[in-house]
Amino acid sequence: MDELSILIGGRAGFGIDRAGGIIGRLLNRMGYHIYIYRDYPSIIRGGHTFSIIRASKNRIASHRDKIDVILALNQDTLDFHKKRLNEGCFFIFDSEQVKPQMGPNCGLGLPLGKLLKEELAPEIMRNTCIIGALTKAIGADFGILEDTLKKELAKDLDLNLKVARRGFDAARELFNFEPLQQKSLPFLTGNQALALGLIKGGLNAYISYPMTPSSPILHYLAEIGDDFGLDVIHPESEISVILMALGYAYAGKKVAVGTSGGGFCLMTEGLSLAGMAELPVVVILGQRPGPSTGLPTYSAQSDLHFALNAGQGEFARFVVAPGDAEEAYYWSAASMNISWKYQIPGIILTDKNLGEGIFNFDLMLAGEIKEEGPVLWNGESTYKRYSAAKNGVSPLAFAPSKDAVIKVNSYEHDESGITTEEPQQTKMMQEKRLRKEKYLALDLENFNTVKVHAEKESETALLCWGSNKGVCVEAARRLGLRAVQPVVLNPFGAKQFQEALAGVKKLILVENNATGQLMRLIGGYGFKVDKQIFKYDGRPFSLEELEEEVKGAIK
């Protein structure tokens, strides 16, 4: 077998996410590339939650509909997902909770409650027990699982090992999924990659009010913050978040904030303040279905135009949408540098599929990150915070600097930061602020802002952005197509985009929204798409689903 897809499901509160991560790490230790899709409702307990763990010999970043193994901890898991089973596949189930009503040779039932009771183990360890059974069923050595659990579990390790062993011994080998002789790569969520990229970019402080799907960044940085000397703060609201961040920027500290659409709504006045006061701040915006609360634990690509236009007035901003863990790492670091170099807000568009998806991470693919420090005041002349530089970027000084009066102002102001309503001053300062975007656009020609994947000479191309990268690139490879991915969305690299489309006769747009937000953006630069494939039910495209849609669009 070249690859394997495993679905584990149960009630929220069963520890399904954690179990999926352990299965992924088990297969990763066997040398396979891994991608994990997580699906859960917005409730603490009850409902149905599941993870799909896909292992492949090749690099992947999407899930399949068809499943080889289902691990059913309750009846819903089997009822909801049995239609996904491939021929020749099987399911392992808790025989005390699940009535399979399927062929006798397809399932393997284990009395998980009885096994746990005999070991005096808590109910939550049902998932450890069934993972033990999975290990035996796929022909893997128990030692691989033992090593995985020792690395992943700090609490109740000995009891978990006993329970896993009981599941292993109670199961039987159903096929042999052989380990590969290749090095295992690190295993990260997109949110962890974003957080590490921010640190690489010089992060001093991360401030956030929790909102799915960006909350894990706050939790992760709170765990590791002391190792990097970070301030990690959870204030009382998103308004406090953005204003506190601007205070850090005024003091010369590199700062980022995280939120999703509802929280970003509250931040928009602060975002405009950043534009007027020329204070650098990086905003991670985790998109989810809306409007309003929408589906809090699901995903969408419906905030692109919100990010491009949020805030009153006109001001320069940088907007980027990474597509996988390596791009999340690279562009969060680059966003920090760009935001400080040009003293503008930077917005990183992400979503649940990228942020909470779990990927192998290859640092060699991320690319070299060159840190570029901000332009600083040299102290040789009277300090003017908003001096009218050719590229619009005024030298920075931070309080307390000797002989410098550092005034930032949300009102229109002159070069010294003094409030003004004088027409010529107003025009001059507005043009100064907007010049930054022109010079940033020139700077970005040195970056790979539009990527081309798969069959680069194909006359048919899939156009995607953000987390759709993984599934679009794989579908394009399988169908012999080109995949084009604009990564930086403002300033938009129209020249690079034109070059990426050279020779394309049919352009098929793929987006997770209902109106084609990227289509409208490129339309403003004179580009048109020939076909559109939209999905807006909160779930990502599976590989099979997108392939069928693309085949229909090609006809």
Side-chain angles (χ1 to χ4, degrees), residues 174-228:
L174 297 172
F175 63 87
N176 188 13
F177 193 59
E178 294 185 353
L180 300 178
Q181 299 302 314
Q182 62 183 17
K183 184 180 178 183
S184 298
L185 289 168
F187 207 53
L188 293 178
T189 65
N191 280 330
Q192 288 171 324
L194 282 164
L196 293 173
L198 292 174
I199 293 172
K200 178 66 177 176
L203 183 74
N204 298 120
Y206 184 77
I207 309 170
S208 179
Y209 184 86
M211 282 195 81
T212 306
S214 64
S215 302
I217 300 173
L218 176 65
H219 303 155
Y220 182 59
L221 287 175
E223 288 178 6
I224 67 173
D226 288 346
D227 296 336
F228 297 94

Side-chain angles (χ1 to χ4, degrees), residues 14 66 80 109 133 155 221 234 247 250 262 277 340 395 471 474 530:
F14 271 23
K66 290 298 182 183
F80 292 161
K155 184 178 178 183
L221 287 175
H234 167 186
Y250 171 78
W340 275 83
V471 69
E474 188 169 359
D530 298 292

